[in-house]
Amino acid sequence: MLATMESGIETCTEQWNRLLASTVSTPEGDATRFFGLFRVLLLEPENSVAEATGLFLAGGPNHDAPTDLLHYLAELSALGGELANRARQCRQLIAEHTSG
């Protein structure tokens, strides 16, 4: 994330591809949920942010996960460009879901 913030997504795409293609095994499954959403945000601009966000929110009982994700999305929103727009859209959807 830090390299993406400093250098932009274009220079970090290969790193994100390797990271998000790796197998993740966690007891709560939050890392897997984050990976799926980040894959869409960062690497699959043709896929729907709303659909990926919905899958993330439906994915489990850990109520801290959306809060943690909002922090990551705030950082991505500051980058500018299409990635920032997609991060803001995702952030808005999560905020609406958690405030309701």
Side-chain angles (χ1 to χ4, degrees):
M1 183 67 79
L2 179 59
T4 301
M5 297 302 296
E6 290 179 341
S7 304
I9 185 65
E10 296 80 16
T11 60
C12 299
T13 301
E14 185 56 36
Q15 290 172 318
W16 281 110
N17 273 318
R18 282 193 309 269
L19 176 65
L20 297 174
S22 64
T23 303
V24 177
S25 176
T26 61
E28 299 88 30
D30 282 337
T32 303
R33 293 170 58 207
F34 276 76
F35 273 31
L37 184 55
F38 277 125
R39 184 177 298 113
V40 169
L41 282 173
L42 299 166
L43 303 174
E44 299 174 359
E46 70 280 2
N47 288 333
S48 168
V49 170
E51 183 178 329
T53 304
L55 288 172
F56 172 82
L57 292 169
N62 186 337
H63 301 291
D64 291 332
T67 301
D68 294 340
L69 182 59
L70 287 173
H71 294 293
Y72 298 134
L73 293 171
E75 292 178 0
L76 291 173
S77 295
L79 291 174
E82 183 59 26
L83 175 57
N85 293 338
R86 292 170 62 78
R88 281 191 287 275
Q89 179 187 6
C90 183
R91 192 167 192 247
Q92 180 63 37
L93 290 166
I94 291 171
E96 289 171 3
H97 177 81
T98 57
S99 68

